[in-house]
Amino acid sequence: MNNYSVKKLSKLAGVSVRTLHLYDELGLLKPSVRTEARYRLYGDKELLRLQQILFYRELDFPLKDILAILEDPAFDLEQALEGHRKALLAKRERIDTLVGTIDKTLVTLKNNTMLQVEDLYEGIPNDKMEAYRAEAMAKWGKDTILSAEETLRSFSKDEMRALHAELNNINARLTVMMNTDPKSAPVQECIARRFKIILQLSGGKIEMGKLEYFRKLGELYVQDNRYTPVDGMPSMELAQFMKAAMDYYIETQGEK
Amino acid sequence: MNNYSVKKLSKLAGVSVRTLHLYDELGLLKPSVRTEARYRLYGDKELLRLQQILFYRELDFPLKDILAILEDPAFDLEQALEGHRKALLAKRERIDTLVGTIDKTLVTLKNNTMLQVEDLYEGIPNDKMEAYRAEAMAKWGKDTILSAEETLRSFSKDEMRALHAELNNINARLTVMMNTDPKSAPVQECIARRFKIILQLSGGKIEMGKLEYFRKLGELYVQDNRYTPVDGMPSMELAQFMKAAMDYYIETQGEK
DNA sequence: GTAGGGTATGACGTAAGGTAAGAGTCAAGC
DNA sequence: GCTTGACTCTTACCTTACGTCATACCCTAC
C-alpha cells in the first residue's frame, strides 16, 4: 500500500497541487488520511480515482458532473456521454461557421488591399494603357499577359510598394557605381538582387514573354517617374540589366 | 442625429444593459454624452461601433483584443484573423478527438451491457440449446432466427431484465384473473401490454417465424423456471396468449 | 404627490484553477 | 540544538464576460 503526498501525487498524475486541493475541497478526491499536521496523504485507491477524474476532465466534463458520475453508481453514464457528444458536435458546427466567417472576412480584406488591374497601370493614361495591353497580348500571347497581371496582383499594395522602393534603391546604388568595374562584387550583388525581385514578380518562374512584358512595363513606369531611372542610362537599358541578371542567375544556379 | 439610452441601445443591438455598462467600463464603448444625472446617451457613431464589437465578439475574440483592433488602426487585423482561425481549427481538431474517445467509450460500454448470444439461451443446457437453434433455423429459416437474435441482443441486460420482470408480473395478474370474463377490460389490458412487449422484442415488425421462435423460446424459459408460468395453464398455452394478443392488435389497429 | 419604470453604482457569483502571502512542518547537515 | 531548504497548510485575490441582486436616484404621467 503506497502513500503519496500532494506533491508526489501531483507529479504522478500530472496535475498541480492546487488542483488536488481544489478536488479535496469539492469532495471529488479526498485524501485517505490526514497527518497530525493536516498533511494530505493519498493511497492507491485515490490514485485510481484521480485517473478516472482526469479521463472525464479530458472530455471537457465539468467537475460537478464528474462528481455525480463517480459518486452515483446508478448514474446513466451512457446518456451523459451521448448528451456530451451532442454538445461537442454542436460546438464543432459553431466553429465551422466561425471559420467560414473569418475566411469570408479575409477575402474581403484582401480584395481591398490587393492590386486591381487598373493599379498596375496607374499613372499611365487610359488609352495608352489599353493600347499597350492589346499590343503586349498580341506580341507575347494573351495568356502570358493575363498570367503576368495575375501574379503581380497577388501582391498586396504594401508589398508592391516595398518592391518598388527597393528597385529604386538599387537603381540609385547602381548610378553611384556606374564607373566601377561591372564585374565587382557590389554591382553583381545589385544585379542579383534585382533579378530576384523580377523572379518574385514573375511568380517564381522565368518566361521570356513575361520578362519582355516587365521590361516594357518598366519603361512605362520610368516615363511616369514611378522609377528613378539610372542616370545616364536610357530606360531601354533596363533590358540589359535584366539580361545581366539572367546571366548571373544561370551562372550561380550552374554552380550549385 | 439620434440619441439612445442604455435600454434603447441594448434592445437595438440585442445585448443586455449590463453589457453596455461593462463595455463602458472597459473603454470599449463609451457613451457620447452623460446627462447631469449621469445617464448614458449614445449616438449613431456608437451604435456603429457596437456593431463592430459584436461582429468580433461573434467570432469569439476576447474583449481585450477587440479593443486593440478598434483602437489601433495600425493593428494587423489580417494576422489576428489568421491566428484566430488557426486557434479555432485546433479547437475543432481537439473536439474531433474527444468525440472519437466518447464513441470508443460508448462501444465498450455497450459491449458490457449488451446481451451476448449465449445470454439468450442462458440456463438452457448447451447441447439442448444448439439442437434447438438448429431446429428453429431449419423450421423458420436461418435469417429469421439470426434476425430475431440480433433484435433481442439490441437490448441491454437491464432492459431485458425489466421486460422479463414485466412479463412475469403480467402472468401473475392473469393467474389471479383466470376465472373472470376473458373479455373484461383488465384482462384485455394485460393481453395488449403483453403483445406490445412481444412487438418490441420483435423489433417493431411482426413476422410469423419470429413469433413461433419466441413462443418456443418462451416454453424453454418456462421449463428453465425463468418465467413463472400461469398457474393451471400449460406453457403450450403461451401460444394462445400470443394469438389473443395478435387478435387484439389487429382489432385496435383496424379501429384507427 | 405618487406610482411605475428607467438608471447608476457597487458587489457577489460563475469554472477551474493560477498565484501569492504568511505560517507551520519535516528531514538533513552542522 | 540550530539552521536551511524543501514541503505543506490555509486564506484569499485574480482571471472572462457577463447575470443577478441591492440600494438609491431620476423622470414622467396621472
Side-chain angles (χ1 to χ4, degrees):
Chain A
M1 204 51 155
N2 287 313
N3 253 351
Y4 310 107
S5 68
V6 268
K7 183 130 209 201
K8 277 188 195 158
L9 184 60
S10 80
K11 276 193 182 169
L12 221 59
V15 301
S16 72
V17 171
R18 174 70 171 103
T19 300
L20 293 178
H21 284 175
L22 184 68
Y23 289 0
D24 184 6
E25 191 185 323
L26 296 179
L28 201 52
L29 183 70
K30 293 229 174 262
S32 60
V33 127
R34 286 264 205 161
T35 70
E36 247 179 60
R38 298 199 51 69
Y39 279 27
R40 294 172 177 85
L41 289 182
Y42 299 87
D44 284 318
K45 222 174 63 186
E46 283 71 31
L47 172 56
L48 216 68
R49 184 173 167 109
L50 180 53
Q51 313 264 8
Q52 291 187 64
I53 294 172
L54 295 182
F55 171 75
Y56 291 115
R57 192 184 70 164
E58 271 296 302
L59 295 179
D60 281 346
F61 271 90
L63 297 185
K64 255 188 199 169
D65 293 7
I66 299 179
L67 184 60
I69 292 173
L70 295 185
E71 284 311 277
D72 181 4
F75 186 89
D76 192 341
L77 179 57
E78 201 168 314
Q79 200 181 341
L81 283 172
E82 277 177 3
H84 197 60
R85 197 186 114 101
K86 242 184 172 172
L88 284 174
L89 287 181
K91 251 191 199 171
R92 207 182 71 138
E93 203 157 326
R94 172 140 197 281
I95 287 180
D96 281 343
T97 312
L98 295 187
V99 171
T101 307
I102 287 182
D103 284 347
K104 272 184 231 154
T105 308
L106 279 172
V107 167
T108 313
L109 221 60
K110 281 196 174 135
N111 276 343
N112 277 340
T113 55
M114 261 172 65
L115 289 166
Q116 305 299 317
V117 176
E118 304 83 52
D119 293 330
L120 289 182
Y121 305 98
E122 191 192 329
I124 301 167
N126 233 329
D127 52 342
K128 206 166 170 184
M129 157 194 142
E130 283 299 340
Y132 166 61
R133 260 191 111 199
E135 189 195 324
M137 285 184 181
K139 232 178 187 165
W140 303 303
K142 187 177 172 183
D143 287 347
T144 304
I145 303 312
L146 287 181
S147 158
E149 286 177 351
E150 178 76 24
T151 307
L152 289 181
R153 294 204 304 118
S154 76
F155 296 92
S156 78
K157 288 186 179 176
D158 280 347
E159 288 171 318
M160 195 56 102
R161 253 193 296 278
L163 289 178
H164 279 189
E166 195 173 356
L167 280 176
N168 266 337
N169 185 296
I170 289 176
N171 282 351
R173 288 181 61 196
L174 281 173
T175 305
V176 172
M177 300 187 288
M178 263 306 272
N179 296 322
T180 67
D181 176 16
K183 297 241 168 195
S184 75
V187 171
Q188 289 290 319
E189 245 172 54
C190 283
I191 291 175
R193 179 68 194 133
R194 195 174 208 289
F195 178 73
K196 275 186 190 154
I197 292 172
I198 290 163
L199 184 68
Q200 202 178 342
L201 291 172
S202 303
K205 215 176 74 191
I206 292 295
E207 288 170 50
M208 284 319 290
K210 275 192 192 175
L211 287 182
E212 295 283 338
Y213 167 75
F214 288 147
R215 190 181 62 77
K216 183 77 180 161
L217 193 59
E219 282 178 33
L220 288 175
Y221 281 176
V222 169
Q223 282 168 28
D224 185 43
N225 290 324
R226 198 186 293 206
Y227 283 141
T228 307
V230 179
D231 254 4
M233 186 188 290
S235 56
M236 279 302 285
E237 308 225 350
L238 285 169
Q240 291 181 5
F241 263 103
M242 210 166 292
K243 177 73 167 52
M246 191 121 186
D247 289 345
Y248 175 83
Y249 175 72
I250 291 168
E251 263 175 43
T252 52
Q253 288 295 308
E255 278 172 15
K256 272 188 188 170
Chain B
M1 202 55 155
N2 287 313
N3 253 349
Y4 310 107
S5 67
V6 266
K7 182 132 209 198
K8 276 187 195 158
L9 184 60
S10 80
K11 276 192 181 170
L12 222 60
V15 300
S16 72
V17 171
R18 174 70 173 103
T19 300
L20 292 178
H21 283 175
L22 183 69
Y23 289 0
D24 184 7
E25 191 185 322
L26 295 180
L28 201 52
L29 182 71
K30 294 227 172 264
S32 61
V33 128
R34 286 266 205 159
T35 69
E36 251 179 54
R38 301 200 45 71
Y39 280 26
R40 292 171 178 84
L41 289 181
Y42 299 87
D44 285 318
K45 222 174 64 185
E46 282 71 32
L47 173 57
L48 216 68
R49 185 173 165 109
L50 180 53
Q51 312 264 8
Q52 292 186 62
I53 293 172
L54 295 182
F55 170 76
Y56 292 115
R57 192 185 69 164
E58 273 295 303
L59 294 179
D60 282 346
F61 272 89
L63 297 184
K64 253 189 202 169
D65 293 7
I66 299 181
L67 183 61
I69 291 172
L70 295 184
E71 283 313 275
D72 181 4
F75 185 89
D76 192 342
L77 178 57
E78 201 168 316
Q79 200 182 341
L81 283 172
E82 277 177 4
H84 197 59
R85 197 187 114 101
K86 239 183 176 174
L88 285 175
L89 288 181
K91 251 192 198 171
R92 203 181 64 152
E93 202 157 326
R94 172 142 196 281
I95 287 180
D96 282 344
T97 310
L98 295 187
V99 171
T101 306
I102 287 183
D103 284 347
K104 271 184 233 155
T105 308
L106 279 172
V107 167
T108 313
L109 221 57
K110 280 194 173 135
N111 276 342
N112 278 339
T113 54
M114 261 171 65
L115 289 166
Q116 304 301 318
V117 177
E118 304 82 53
D119 294 329
L120 290 181
Y121 304 99
E122 191 191 330
I124 300 169
N126 234 329
D127 52 343
K128 206 169 171 183
M129 157 195 142
E130 283 300 340
Y132 167 61
R133 261 190 111 200
E135 188 194 324
M137 285 184 180
K139 230 178 190 165
W140 302 304
K142 187 178 174 185
D143 287 348
T144 305
I145 303 311
L146 287 181
S147 159
E149 286 177 350
E150 177 77 25
T151 307
L152 289 181
R153 294 204 305 119
S154 77
F155 295 92
S156 79
K157 288 185 179 176
D158 281 347
E159 287 170 318
M160 194 56 101
R161 254 193 295 278
L163 289 178
H164 279 191
E166 197 174 355
L167 279 176
N168 265 337
N169 185 296
I170 288 176
N171 282 351
R173 289 182 59 196
L174 281 172
T175 305
V176 172
M177 299 187 290
M178 265 303 275
N179 297 322
T180 67
D181 177 16
K183 298 240 166 193
S184 74
V187 170
Q188 289 291 320
E189 248 172 51
C190 282
I191 291 174
R193 179 67 195 133
R194 195 174 207 290
F195 178 74
K196 275 184 189 154
I197 291 172
I198 289 162
L199 185 68
Q200 204 179 341
L201 290 173
S202 305
K205 215 176 73 191
I206 292 295
E207 288 171 51
M208 284 317 292
K210 275 192 193 175
L211 287 182
E212 295 283 339
Y213 167 75
F214 288 148
R215 188 183 63 79
K216 184 76 179 162
L217 195 58
E219 282 178 36
L220 287 176
Y221 281 175
V222 168
Q223 283 168 28
D224 184 43
N225 290 326
R226 199 184 296 203
Y227 282 140
T228 307
V230 179
D231 253 5
M233 185 186 291
S235 56
M236 280 304 285
E237 308 228 348
L238 284 169
Q240 290 182 5
F241 263 105
M242 210 168 294
K243 178 74 166 53
M246 193 123 185
D247 289 346
Y248 174 82
Y249 175 72
I250 291 168
E251 265 174 42
T252 53
Q253 286 297 307
E255 279 171 16
K256 271 190 189 171

